[in-house]
Amino acid sequence: MLVVGVSVGNAMAGTTADVLLSRQKPVLTSSNESSSFTGDKAVDGNTSTRWASAEGSDPQWIRVDLGQPASVSRVKLSWEAAYGKAYRIEVSDDGTNFTTIKSVTGGNGATDDLTGLSGHGRFVRLVGTQRGTSYGYSLFELEAYGTLDSSGDTQAPSVPTGLTATAVTATTANLSWTASTDNVGVSGYEVLRDGVVVTTVSGTQYNDSGLTGDTSYQYSVRARDLAGNLSAASAPITVKTAVGGTGSFVLAAAGDIADQCTASSSDCIHPKTANLVDLIKPANVITMGDNQYDDAHLSDFQNYYDKSWGRFKSITKPIPGNHETYDDPSYNGYDKYFGSAIAKPLGKRYYSWEKGNWHFIALDSNDFVKESKALAEPAQLTWLKSDLAANTKGCIAAYYHHPRFSSGDHGDNAGAAQLWDVLVGAKVDLVLNGHDHHYERFLPQNKSGVADPNGPVEIIGGTGGKELYPPKTAHPTTAKLLETFGVLKLSMTDTTFQSQLINLDQQVLDSSPTYTCH
């Protein structure tokens, strides 16, 4: 159906049977003018906030996930000054293959109330093909109305069964259960801790964090279907956390993160690993270099990293990788994006910080492997020795990009031996690296890579989003070797640490023992 050269803003209102389906639902967009004008602003019900696309480019689109299939009969668009002169409304069952249910040309902005539509699907998408101004597309609100397929459903899902807890530490408990069944479909599960809902998840697993050591918690789970019907709670279980110190906290960590893509592409990984960070709810985020690909220009950071991991910028403690040196001049995009207070708090790209009883050392290994255009800076090694000598905390962790030992594509880095040897000599507890795009956890090992309980635990977490490298033959000290995307969850106490690798399905693929600090 086609509307040509008319003011669609004066269209008749929809029927009273229409139900608003799009309010506060998940949104994807082709682009955002900035982090202040993201797609969620177009479905928040607030006419003072808005989504704005990148300026000067056609086409642009915004897609709303209604959460379940629905018959769509009306779409109301409240435009800002930057409106769509020509656009189409589309629906889709899978979010990929779309059918047009309305085409508009000659739009004049203000409010377009499109009624009498006949479409069916879970996703509604507005595709702007011709801008009405020289700017972009800007919507105060996109409202989709219709009837959900589950309307009239009153049957609740079956009660979840088989609730268990594994990998319990002083601060975390990994919960899993058997899926419920429903006549229409289960939409998610509510997890209750001591009778209070702490989260809603789509799968059958949840990692509860931020717990107190040596404390008992009661957990249960209940299922919700697409119509909002809620099952009874599962049989409760009691979980007692391990003994831990008063300074317990959780961190999230990964390296090799942002490829040049956004969440609009289903193959783009770094927005998905950012969602895992949201799930972990860390006190701080650690990045192990190669935060942005390929040459890490400032515009790349702004267009890609900022759209995913950028939302944790205020709590991020980054270090650069070799790709940050490929900008001209080296590190330019990295320095400008993170700012001197984060990237160069000492005027250098290495620094230390503390939390609880932990001392963290962030290093720039580019100075040692000499892979990049960066010049070696022996002063960093002198600083490292001085920093370690001045430390008063009981536990120490260090992180830098190039691993000393690796079963991955790049293999062992002899150039990183200078850092590793100093850290081993200082009885550092944990070392985090990236560079090789796989996951590998080592047993504690000495300067020569031989198992030694007095050495650090090295973990390679180059799993943040850039394509993976197939690992090679494992080292004798390799405890776990995986080719997978994911985020490290680090649970720290005053005297211990424990790590978990969480993959894109929110599953714990590896859990380390709980190590006591040296």
Side-chain angles (χ1 to χ4, degrees), residues 379-392:
Q380 184 175 176
L381 201 62
T382 302
W383 172 87
L384 173 60
K385 294 175 181 177
S386 175
D387 182 83
L388 286 166
N391 171 53
T392 60

Side-chain angles (χ1 to χ4, degrees), residues 14-164:
T15 67
T16 55
D18 289 337
V19 175
L20 179 57
L21 307 176
S22 53
R23 181 66 51 81
Q24 295 182 338
K25 293 298 173 62
V27 173
L28 285 179
T29 61
S30 56
S31 67
N32 299 315
E33 180 184 333
S34 74
S35 58
S36 299
F37 303 112
T38 51
D40 58 299
K41 304 296 194 303
V43 295
D44 61 1
N46 185 345
T47 55
S48 64
T49 62
R50 60 188 174 94
W51 165 65
S53 73
E55 296 181 355
S57 177
D58 290 312
Q60 298 287 341
W61 53 264
I62 178 171
R63 190 197 79 178
V64 183
D65 181 356
L66 303 180
Q68 60 173 292
S71 296
V72 179
S73 56
R74 175 189 177 198
V75 172
K76 183 179 178 181
L77 307 172
S78 301
W79 296 101
E80 195 251 351
Y83 66 94
K85 185 176 182 180
Y87 59 88
R88 60 182 183 267
I89 304 297
E90 303 174 333
V91 294
S92 170
D93 291 319
D94 58 9
T96 301
N97 302 295
F98 283 85
T99 300
T100 299
I101 62 171
K102 186 76 170 182
S103 293
V104 172
T105 61
N108 61 359
T111 300
D112 292 350
D113 200 346
L114 310 174
T115 61
L117 307 182
S118 180
H120 184 273
R122 172 172 171 169
F123 301 88
V124 176
R125 184 168 71 175
L126 162 70
V127 180
T129 56
Q130 183 181 359
R131 288 164 288 118
T133 70
S134 61
Y135 299 103
Y137 296 86
S138 184
L139 281 170
F140 288 117
E141 284 294 302
L142 185 160
E143 297 175 316
Y145 294 83
T147 305
L148 297 171
D149 285 4
S150 62
S151 296
D153 174 28
T154 59
Q155 180 177 326
S158 63
V159 177
T161 59
L163 178 61
T164 58

Side-chain angles (χ1 to χ4, degrees), residues 150 153-158 179-187 223-231:
S150 62
D153 174 28
T154 59
Q155 180 177 326
S158 63
S180 298
T181 58
D182 186 71
N183 61 317
V184 174
V186 175
S187 62
R224 186 180 294 277
D225 67 14
L226 294 169
N229 299 305
L230 195 61
S231 76

Side-chain angles (χ1 to χ4, degrees), residues 8 13 26 31 71 80 132 174 218 267 278 310 319 360 363 373 405 407 444-445 469 491 509:
V8 292
S31 67
S71 296
E80 195 251 351
N174 180 35
Q218 187 180 81
D267 295 329
D278 268 330
I319 52 96
F360 293 91
L363 300 168
K373 295 181 291 183
F405 302 105
S407 305
Q445 52 190 334
Y469 300 158
S491 301
L509 296 190

